[in-house]
Every structure is written in C-alpha cells, then in structure tokens.
Amino acid sequence: MPKQEGRHFLQIPGPTNVPDRVLRAIAAPTIDHRGPEFARLSKEVLEGLKVIFKTQGRVIIFPGSGTGAWEAALVNTLSPGDKVLMFETGHFATLWYNMAQRLGLAVDFVPGDWRGGVDPAAVEVKLAEDRGHKIKAVAVVHNETSTGVASRIGEVRAAMNRVGHPALLLVDTISSLASIDFRMDEWQVDVTVSCSQKGLMLPPGLGLNAVSDKALAANKSAGFKRSYWDWQEMLANNKTGFYPYTPATNLLYGLHEAINMLLEEGLERVFARHDRHGEATRRAVRAWGLELLCTNPAEYSSSLTAVLMPAGHDADALRQLILKRFNMSLGTGLGKVKGRVFRIGHLGDFNDLSLAGTLSGVELGLALAGVPHQAGGVGAALAYLTEVAREAGGGKSSASAA
Ligand SMILES: *Cc1c(COP(=O)(O)O)cnc(C)c1O
C-alpha cells in the first residue's frame, strides 16, 4: 500500500479509532500479572466497568473476542438441549444463533427482515405460550451492527415481566456499550456480553460478561462442559485482583484509560454525543435521497447507520473507491445484505468534525462512483450540528457572556 497522507478514517462500526491516550497507556511496559501493581489495576478496571454496564453485579474479562464472550454467556448459564428464544434481527443475531445450535441448544429463532429490532410483543406472545417454562433464556442483540437497528431492551424486559416468565435475559451489547444507553440492573439483564473494540475504544482482544445474581445461581446447575470460559475460576481469582491464566495486561492498561475518558466526559454526555451523530448522519442520508435500512425511528442506532444503495449499484464498489481515493474505511454489507448496504460507523472516539469528514468522504464517493443521489447531505448534517450547538449555548451569546 502506498503511503497516504493524513490519518486513515476508520469508520467501520468496530474496531473503532483508538484515542491517543489509550494507545499511550497500552504502550507501557508489561508488568507481572501476579504482582501487587497488577492487582490494583485489575480491581480498578473491574469496578469501573460496573459503572459502564450500570450494574452492581460481577464483571468478567476474558482475553478473547466478542464471539468468545457469547459462548461464555451460553455455556455458563445453560445445559445441552435447553430451549432458548432468539430473534433474527440481522447478521450478528444469526451468528449467535448458529453458535447456540452448534453447542446443542434448542433454539426457537424468530425470523426477521433485518430492518427492525426484537419485537417486545412477540417476546410476550412466545413466553405466554410457554406455560411449562421450558424456555430457559431469551438471548438478544441490543444494537444490530449489520443493520443499524437498536432493539428496545427495556421493553423486552417489561414484556417478560408482564407474563412473569423466569427465563434469563442475555443481551449482546458489543456495539452499544459506552455508545448507546444500556442499563443492566434497571432492565434486569442477567448476562451482558460485550468486547473491547467498539464503544470502549480499544483494539480487539477482550471479551466481557457482566453477570447478575440470577445468572450466577443458574451457573451452579448449568450442565455445559466448560474450561477456558468458566466463570467460577475467574471470579475466585478476580477477588484478589488476579486471573486463572495470563490476562491481556496491556489491553487492561488501555481499558483503564478508556474508562477514565468515558467517566470524565460523563456517560450521559457520551450517549448524547452518539445520538447527535446518529441523527446528523440520517439527515445526510435523507438529503442524498438514499434510504436507511432501519425502518423504525424508535429503533435507530446511534452507533452506526446502514444505508441502502439504489438498485443496480454495488455498495462494495463504492466502499473500495472511497478507501482508495479518500483513505476511509466504511463497513461492508454482511450476510443477506452484502453489496446492498454500506455502513457508516459513528461510535467511539468521534466528534462533530470527524463526522463532517466522514460524511464528506461518502458524498465525494457517491459523486465519483456515479451513484444517483442529490448533493447536500453534508450541508444537512452541518445544519443540524449547528442547531444542536446553538441550543446547547455554544453560539455567540454564550461567547460574549464569557
Ligand atoms: C462485532 C460484533 C460481534 C462479534 O465480535 P467479535 O469480537 O468479532 O467476535 C458480535 N455482536 C455484535 C453486535 C457485534 O457488533
């Protein structure tokens, strides 16, 4: 690859851009993972993550990807042959379903058109029909990274409570944690699955489970064989700040710094920033005359936007042109929507000007690739950002008052 001027724009919805502060933290010398300095670090990280997950439960950090954390959630709470309810919201929900099948769970996989999220009414109907309480878990993806649809987890929980069903609620928050509001305890989520390389702004390499008391109780009788992913060994070692095997020490330095950054900004402001960038992006897409994949405004994702291409135009050809000409990576269409959509990641270490640059790259690409569209998407996004900044007092009046 020839050298390209300026920084690469990594606007896929994960891995995301790693802030310089986190990169510097990771660059520190590796320490003894059985020494006192490490124990201090790991206890601070585990406490900090509870704030991010909004839970008083236990948090477990595995060296691994998000897929490993999916497996850990299933094998620690369930037994072979157990019935599980899942929803086809997109590619990631399908992959988690495939894993559950391979492990030997009996999954009721409710079909979907990849343009909406988990329907809380459907959860209610399925659970109400299950009078014998055969369904042991409802496993859903909070933010479907393949479609840009965010399911309403609070409403899914409310549906479960309305029918008084005791199933565990397992939620994948891989592309929502630290970007879109997620309330583990308030929504009585039993296992939250996440990982390092999306909203947490780290490189790939850490898989996370946050675990409720009810999930810990289920763990006692869960019949799956497990070793590397076993919670009990991890929790026993974590009590003193240690791990049953070598942790990803330098990624934990990075995680410590990332948590500091998120808490300095304030979680609610982090969410508001993502909401603003999601809305600005959708305004750009509409101004271009293109269509959003997500059809339900109550389920728009604030961490990424999936855009449908006009018929006869290939999303990957557009992405390739934008990469080559403008040094920006956009997300490819996954699974069923391959070639038909491209995805704009606007999560993690990202601000108004990174958004303006990203959308400019898309608008330039659309023009050069000959994709039918109207100009003015960037302008529409900037107009919205201006409006929000004015309302927040970022305009003339506050400057003169200062
Ligand atoms: C990225 C992603 C995954 C997969 O995580 P890996 O780290 O690639 O294993 C799973 N679920 C969602 C929603 C994701 O965005």
Side-chain angles (χ1 to χ4, degrees):
M1 266 274 267
K3 158 109 182 71
Q4 282 189 286
E5 353 35 89
R7 270 217 185 186
H8 178 63
F9 268 61
L10 182 67
Q11 296 321 133
I12 58 176
T16 64
N17 294 288
V18 181
D20 291 349
R21 271 176 69 177
V22 171
L23 287 174
R24 280 195 293 272
I26 290 171
T30 304
I31 54 172
D32 174 11
H33 64 284
R34 311 225 185 260
E37 201 185 327
F38 181 84
R40 265 195 305 278
L41 167 80
S42 90
K43 283 181 180 170
E44 280 177 24
V45 165
L46 290 171
E47 278 308 306
L49 281 176
K50 288 189 190 179
V51 180
I52 310 286
F53 281 104
K54 298 191 176 177
T55 186
Q56 306 285 325
R58 283 34 158 223
V59 178
I60 291 169
I61 307 173
F62 293 106
S65 81
T67 301
W70 269 346
E71 181 161 336
L74 298 175
V75 301
N76 275 288
T77 54
L78 299 166
S79 303
D82 274 357
K83 216 170 156 189
V84 176
L85 179 61
M86 298 176 103
F87 292 81
E88 188 201 356
T89 51
H91 187 64
F92 290 100
T94 303
L95 292 179
W96 201 9
Y97 157 71
N98 290 342
M99 170 189 276
Q101 291 269 91
R102 281 197 296 267
L103 287 170
L105 291 161
V107 188
D108 182 355
F109 194 47
V110 179
D113 66 359
W114 292 39
R115 302 196 70 171
V118 177
D119 177 7
V123 173
E124 188 164 348
V125 168
K126 286 278 180 189
L127 295 184
E129 282 169 357
D130 180 39
R131 285 193 197 83
H133 295 169
K134 289 266 184 295
I135 296 172
K136 298 300 172 201
V138 177
V140 295
V141 175
H142 182 198
N143 187 67
E144 232 323 328
T145 322
S146 60
T147 62
V149 174
S151 286
R152 293 157 290 162
I153 303 302
E155 292 181 34
V156 169
R157 166 46 75 186
M160 294 174 71
N161 288 351
R162 270 197 298 278
V163 293
H165 198 288
L168 296 167
L169 177 57
L170 315 183
V171 182
D172 168 342
T173 64
I174 290 179
S175 62
S176 58
L177 190 74
S179 312
I180 300 172
D181 193 12
F182 175 76
R183 310 172 185 185
M184 173 151 174
D185 286 2
E186 187 182 321
W187 297 339
Q188 300 162 267
V189 175
D190 294 298
V191 187
T192 306
V193 174
S194 203
C195 66
S196 54
Q197 75 270 22
K198 302 192 183 180
L200 290 175
M201 309 181 289
L202 294 167
L206 299 177
L208 309 174
N209 278 175
V211 180
S212 75
D213 287 343
K214 187 171 159 188
L216 269 187
N219 180 243
K220 297 267 180 329
S221 56
F224 273 117
K225 288 198 168 58
R226 52 190 178 267
S227 170
Y228 185 84
W229 304 117
D230 186 53
W231 285 347
Q232 291 302 335
E233 275 230 48
M234 202 48 122
L235 290 171
N237 280 267
N238 281 177
K239 273 198 189 119
T240 48
F242 298 113
Y243 281 74
Y245 40 75
T246 314
T249 309
N250 290 51
L251 286 178
L252 295 177
Y253 298 158
L255 181 52
H256 191 269
E257 189 66 11
I259 292 168
N260 285 345
M261 289 177 71
L262 289 165
L263 299 184
E264 280 165 23
E265 183 177 354
L267 274 186
E268 304 314 310
R269 286 162 78 158
V270 170
F271 302 145
R273 170 165 59 82
H274 284 81
D275 290 345
R276 177 170 87 243
H277 293 149
E279 178 59 26
T281 302
R282 291 188 294 273
R283 289 189 185 210
V285 172
R286 288 190 200 105
W288 289 323
L290 299 179
E291 195 182 339
L292 299 164
L293 186 59
C294 178
T295 50
N296 181 356
E299 296 177 323
Y300 284 148
S301 167
S302 292
S303 57
L304 78 131
T305 301
V307 184
L308 272 165
M309 292 292 281
H313 291 268
D314 178 19
D316 287 333
L318 171 69
R319 288 177 48 254
Q320 270 159 31
L321 181 149
I322 290 172
L323 175 60
K324 209 163 151 218
R325 186 68 184 76
F326 303 110
N327 195 16
M328 175 164 75
S329 295
L330 294 169
T332 187
L334 293 168
K336 277 188 190 173
V337 292
K338 175 100 192 127
R340 290 178 43 222
V341 309
F342 65 92
R343 296 171 300 145
I344 304 170
H346 34 76
L347 74 163
D349 186 35
F350 197 69
N351 64 23
D352 288 1
L353 295 191
S354 1
L355 180 72
T358 299
L359 296 176
S360 297
V362 176
E363 191 160 320
L364 287 162
L366 290 169
L368 287 182
V371 177
H373 73 289
Q374 289 129 42
V378 174
L382 296 186
Y384 176 71
L385 294 177
T386 309
E387 192 184 304
V388 175
R390 274 218 186 96
E391 276 166 18
K396 228 184 190 168
S397 54
S398 73
S400 54

